[in-house]
Amino acid sequence: MRTLKYAILGLVSQKPMTGYDIYKEFDGPIGNFWSAKHSQIYPELKKLTQEKLLNYEMPESGESLKKKVYTITEAGAKELDAWLSEDEELAPTAKDVFRLRMYFCERMDPSLVKDLLLSQLDKHEDKLASLKSSMDEHYTKKPTKAQLGDYLVLSGAISREEAYCDWIRSCLPYFK
């Protein structure tokens, strides 16, 4: 399944976007649960255009390079809506190199394990603080309908980071 296809269709359904705009979205809220590289996005945009799920215009913008601004077609919107209505199977557990390392912690010096745990705790606490800051910045009131998806995913990312920090804290007493 080309999941990136649906991510792009969803983004463009919100507003017309250039390929660069789409790429930058993966540094924003979507980056909390999905990633895509420049080298993946542009070939997918080409396929979506060939499949008539997206259109593009190249508006006049002075002497600068012409940029394609993509919009979703009616067929694209129908395909996106069909995909959105599907129930999802439980995804396999995401790979986590740090947890894999901890699985074999008996082979390491306890002081090294403690240092690694504290380092990861710092990183996850920083990420948690950043997510909470984003929540405070964007959602002082109840989210609008257009903001609801971002709000729900941001809430989930905060919960994920809180749980990760809690797990690390629960590991630390074993390595005093």
Side-chain angles (χ1 to χ4, degrees):
M1 178 192 292
R2 291 170 31 211
T3 307
L4 179 58
K5 164 185 176 175
Y6 298 106
I8 291 173
L9 287 173
L11 288 169
V12 176
S13 76
Q14 294 175 331
K15 64 182 178 191
M17 302 178 96
T18 65
Y20 181 74
D21 294 333
I22 293 166
Y23 171 73
K24 292 304 289 177
E25 286 292 319
F26 288 99
D27 285 337
I30 288 180
N32 285 311
F33 60 92
W34 200 262
S35 64
K37 297 177 183 164
H38 184 272
S39 60
Q40 297 170 295
I41 294 169
Y42 286 93
E44 190 64 40
L45 285 169
K46 184 176 181 179
K47 287 179 192 172
L48 292 169
T49 303
Q50 290 170 343
E51 294 168 351
K52 302 199 182 318
L53 302 176
L54 291 180
N55 285 327
Y56 67 85
E57 293 181 358
M58 296 177 66
E60 293 292 325
S61 58
E63 294 182 26
S64 65
L65 292 173
K66 295 190 184 233
K67 297 178 184 179
K68 294 178 181 177
V69 178
Y70 293 91
T71 55
I72 195 165
T73 65
E74 187 175 326
K78 284 181 182 178
E79 192 154 333
L80 174 62
D81 290 341
W83 178 78
L84 288 172
S85 67
E86 293 176 12
D87 190 14
E88 192 66 32
E89 295 294 323
L90 184 62
T93 301
K95 293 178 181 178
D96 185 328
V97 175
F98 181 71
R99 286 185 194 236
L100 180 61
R101 189 170 285 125
M102 289 299 101
Y103 187 78
F104 300 108
C105 68
E106 74 277 359
R107 296 189 50 82
M108 295 186 280
D109 181 88
S111 65
L112 173 60
V113 176
K114 182 179 179 182
D115 289 346
L116 291 171
L117 286 164
L118 290 171
S119 175
Q120 286 294 307
L121 182 59
D122 284 345
K123 292 172 186 171
H124 283 277
E125 284 177 336
D126 287 347
K127 185 164 187 168
L128 178 58
S130 174
L131 292 167
K132 285 182 173 182
S133 175
S134 183
M135 180 67 87
D136 292 343
E137 180 182 327
H138 293 99
Y139 300 105
T140 55
K141 298 183 257 176
K142 183 178 175 183
T144 65
K145 183 178 179 182
Q147 297 171 321
L148 186 58
D150 179 47
Y151 175 81
L152 295 174
V153 168
L154 185 54
S155 296
I158 289 169
S159 295
R160 178 194 67 224
E161 291 304 318
E162 287 172 338
Y164 210 101
C165 290
D166 289 345
W167 170 71
I168 293 172
R169 285 187 201 98
S170 75
C171 294
L172 283 168
Y174 294 98
F175 302 96
K176 289 197 175 209

